[in-house]
Amino acid sequence: MNEFLTDAALFLPVLLRGLWTTILLTLCALVVSVMLGLVWATMARARFGPLRAAAATIINVVRGIPIIVQLFCVYFVLPEAGINLYPFAAGVIGLGLAYSVYQAENFRAGFEAVDPALLEAAKSLGMDDRLAMRRVVLPLGIRIALPPFGNTTVMLLKDSSIASTITIAELTRAGQLLAISTFKNGTVYVLIALLYLAASLPLAAGVRMLERRMATR
Amino acid sequence: MIAIEGIHKAFGANHVLRGVTFTVEAGEVVCLIGPSGSGKSTVLRCINGLERADSGSIRVAGQELGDATLPAIRRSVAMVFQRFNLFPHRTVLENVVEGPVHVLKEPRAEAEARGRDLLARVGMGDRADEFPMRLSGGQQQRVGIARALAMRPQAVLFDEPTSALDPERVGEVLQVMRSLAEEGMTMIVVTHEIAFAREVADRAIFMDGGTVVEQGAARAMLTDPQEPRTRLFLDRVLRPL
Ligand SMILES: Nc1ncnc2c1ncn2[C@@H]1O[C@H](COP(=O)(O)OP(=O)(O)OP(=O)(O)O)[C@@H](O)[C@H]1O
Ligand SMILES: [Mg+2]
C-alpha cells in the first residue's frame, strides 16, 4: 500500500496532464458533435426530401464504422489528400464526427417528443417553420434530449481514450507510456481508472442538476 | 370579415367537411355548436391554415386564403385552444410577447408594456413572471387569450376554450370572452356552453356530419331551433339525463 502511494505521488503529475488533455479533447469533440448533431437532426426534419435522405445516409454511414477506424481515416487518410492535421485536431474531428450521429439521434428524439400542439400554437401566432423551430421546437426538444445527452457525453469522455491510438497524449496514452517505462502496470491502470471516474461522475451529476433545474419550469 | 364557401376536407376516407358555407361580419360573435366529430375544430383549423381545405374558398378581410396570403392571415386571425397550448419554457409575459416581438417585430419594451396591460385586462397582471405550469387551467386559458390578443388580431377563433377546465373555472374565462365581445371583437367560438352562446353570441351555427344544418340569431335559434337535428342536439346538451 505504501509503495502504491509513493508511486501514485510520482505518477500523478504526468497522469493529471493526460487527464487535462482528455478533458480538453472531450470538450472540443463535444462542441463539434453537438453542432454537427443539431445540423443532422434539423436536416432530418426538413421539408425538402433530399435533405432528409442526406441526413439519414450520413447517420447510417457514420454509425456503421467503428470509432477507431474513423480516427484512422481522419489521421492517416486525409493527409494523403493533402490535408495535414495535428493529432489533437484529428482527434477532435474524428470523435466529434463519430459522436455527432448519437447526438443527432438524441436531438431528433427530443424534437419529435415536443407536443405538436405547441408547434400549432406557434404557427397560429404567425411563425414560419424556421422561427417555430428556433423559438419552440429547439428549446423544448433540447430539454427533453438532456438525459440521453448526458449519457452520450459520459460515453464520449470514455471513448476519447481511443484517441490514444493516434498519438494524442491523453490520459490513456500517458498511462501506457508510464506503464511501459516503469513496469508498474497495476498501479498505473488503477490510477487511470480512478481518474476517468473522477471526471465522469461529476459530469453525470452536473447533467442531472441541469435537468432538474429545467424540469421545474 | 370571414367568408367560408363550400369547403370540403377529407382525412383519408373520412370525409369530415362536406361543403361548409357561412360568413362572419366584422364585430360579430358567432358560436359554432354541434356534436363531437361534426367538424367544428376542422373548420377553425382551416380558417387559420393549420389544415388546408381540399376545395372551396376561405376569405379573410377580403383576402383569399392561399400560400401567398397565409402568413398575413395567420397574423390577423388569432386562435385560442382547448388545451391552452402555452409555451411551458416561457413565463406568462414571455408567452404573451412571443408573437409581437418575433413575428410582428415590435420593440421588446413596447411589447412588454402592452403585454402587461393585456394581462391586467384578463386578470392575470400579478402572475406575469410565473411559468404556465404553476397556474390553474382557467388562469392558463386567460393567458392564452391575452397571447392571442397581443397579435392585435382582427378576429379570434376559440376552440372549446372552457372544455378542459374545472367547472368552477369556466366562469372566469367566459367573463373575459364576454368583455371581449362587448368591445366589438370578431369572434368564432366553438363551445358547448349554450347559455353563454345564447347571451353573448350574435349568431349561432349548428353543424352536424360536416355540414351547416341550421344558423340564425343566437338567442332565437338556441331557444327555439327549427331543425329537428338541432333540437335533438340541444335537448341532449341541456338535459344530459
Ligand atoms: N388530423 C386529423 N387526421 C385524421 N382525422 C382527423 C384529423 N383531425 C380531425 N380528424 C377527424 O375529423 C373528424 C372531425 O373532427 P373535428 O375535430 O373537426 O370535430 P369536432 O366537431 O371539433 O369534434 P369535438 O367536439 O370532439 O371536438 C373526426 O372524425 C376526427 O377523427
Ligand atoms: Mg373539436
Side-chain angles (χ1 to χ4, degrees):
Chain A
M1 193 62 198
N2 231 338
E3 192 190 338
F4 176 83
L5 287 180
T6 41
D7 283 346
L10 210 58
F11 298 162
L12 221 44
V14 178
L15 293 179
L16 281 175
R17 231 176 303 137
L19 177 64
W20 175 240
T21 306
T22 287
I23 290 172
L24 219 58
L25 179 64
T26 302
L27 286 179
C28 292
L30 185 66
V31 170
V32 171
S33 72
V34 165
M35 289 192 321
L36 284 179
L38 278 174
V39 172
W40 309 151
T42 311
M43 278 167 70
R45 284 177 61 90
R47 283 250 174 99
F48 186 55
L51 224 49
R52 283 201 307 275
T57 310
I58 292 168
I59 289 173
N60 283 327
V61 167
V62 173
R63 200 167 37 185
I65 302 173
I67 295 177
I68 190 166
V69 177
Q70 291 187 48
L71 281 180
F72 286 165
C73 284
V74 175
Y75 189 59
F76 295 117
V77 180
L78 284 187
E80 309 222 333
I83 304 171
N84 277 305
L85 291 172
Y86 287 106
F88 187 83
V92 168
I93 293 172
L95 283 171
L97 180 67
Y99 264 77
S100 71
V101 299
Y102 302 118
Q103 302 285 17
E105 284 297 298
N106 294 341
F107 290 132
R108 189 195 53 76
F111 294 162
E112 270 174 21
V114 173
D115 184 355
L118 295 178
L119 191 59
E120 293 196 337
K123 286 185 177 168
S124 79
L125 289 177
M127 292 191 193
D128 58 22
D129 286 349
R130 279 183 59 179
L131 189 57
M133 178 77 193
R134 188 160 64 76
R135 297 295 304 170
V136 178
V137 178
L138 207 59
L140 285 171
I142 285 176
R143 256 154 241 254
I144 300 169
L146 215 50
F149 169 81
N151 288 335
T152 306
T153 305
V154 173
M155 277 165 50
L156 173 59
L157 173 75
K158 295 185 292 175
D159 278 353
S160 70
S161 62
I162 299 173
S164 61
T165 57
I166 56 170
T167 75
I168 299 176
E170 44 66 75
L171 180 53
T172 301
R173 185 169 170 82
Q176 279 171 338
L177 295 176
L178 208 54
I180 291 169
S181 58
T182 62
F183 301 110
K184 304 252 178 180
N185 285 296
T187 309
V188 169
Y189 285 110
V190 166
L191 286 174
I192 294 178
L194 290 176
L195 287 175
Y196 272 113
L197 266 182
S200 63
L201 290 181
L203 188 64
V207 173
R208 262 197 308 279
M209 202 179 71
L210 206 64
E211 236 170 82
R212 232 173 302 132
R213 270 236 322 253
M214 286 189 164
T216 57
R217 303 196 155 184
Chain B
M1 172 74 212
I2 297 174
I4 297 169
E5 209 173 305
I7 58 170
H8 284 255
K9 174 75 189 174
F11 294 104
N14 187 3
H15 201 160
V16 176
L17 299 182
R18 302 164 179 264
V20 173
T21 300
F22 64 84
T23 59
V24 178
E25 302 301 328
E28 211 178 14
V29 177
V30 172
C31 277
L32 203 53
I33 60 172
S36 183
S38 56
K40 309 175 299 290
S41 296
T42 307
V43 169
L44 290 197
R45 294 164 57 79
C46 284
I47 295 174
N48 79 344
L50 289 176
E51 302 288 354
R52 184 195 294 251
D54 298 331
S55 63
S57 91
I58 296 173
R59 300 179 69 81
V60 177
Q63 274 190 312
E64 169 100 29
L65 183 64
D67 286 341
T69 54
L70 179 62
I73 288 179
R74 279 231 178 103
R75 263 176 264 132
S76 64
V77 178
M79 183 118 176
V80 173
F81 299 89
Q82 181 174 355
R83 303 227 41 106
F84 334 125
N85 299 357
L86 297 179
F87 304 125
H89 57 308
R90 304 200 189 284
T91 64
V92 162
L93 183 62
E94 285 167 350
N95 264 276
V96 173
V97 302
E98 185 69 15
V101 170
H102 294 279
V103 177
L104 303 179
K105 307 275 185 230
E106 255 179 52
R108 179 170 287 274
E110 195 177 297
E112 286 188 354
R114 218 159 54 76
R116 287 186 191 277
D117 283 350
L118 284 168
L119 284 172
R121 232 174 98 187
V122 300
M124 293 295 294
D126 52 342
R127 314 300 291 272
D129 299 317
E130 291 197 42
F131 283 92
M133 254 173 50
R134 300 196 173 272
L135 306 179
S136 73
Q139 292 170 330
Q140 290 191 46
Q141 191 59 295
R142 285 184 279 150
V143 174
I145 294 173
R147 178 175 70 174
L149 295 179
M151 293 299 289
R152 306 181 196 271
Q154 298 184 37
V156 183
L157 313 177
F158 295 83
D159 192 359
E160 301 199 33
T162 59
S163 295
L165 301 183
D166 293 335
E168 78 267 24
R169 293 293 190 171
V170 169
E172 65 194 54
V173 172
L174 292 182
Q175 194 48 48
V176 169
M177 291 169 61
R178 176 197 291 264
S179 74
L180 197 56
E182 281 162 3
E183 286 163 29
M185 177 58 80
T186 309
M187 297 161 60
I188 303 182
V189 185
V190 173
T191 186
H192 294 295
E193 298 290 335
I194 303 299
F196 171 84
R198 205 177 302 177
E199 273 190 52
V200 176
D202 300 302
R203 221 144 42 79
I205 297 176
F206 174 69
M207 280 183 65
D208 193 9
T211 56
V212 172
V213 174
E214 180 173 359
Q215 56 175 308
R219 185 174 293 276
M221 185 182 130
L222 297 175
T223 312
D224 182 23
Q226 300 303 302
E227 293 289 328
R229 266 199 282 174
T230 317
R231 192 180 300 269
L232 195 65
F233 172 76
L234 286 176
D235 278 350
R236 278 206 201 118
V237 173
L238 295 174
R239 277 187 293 280
L241 297 180

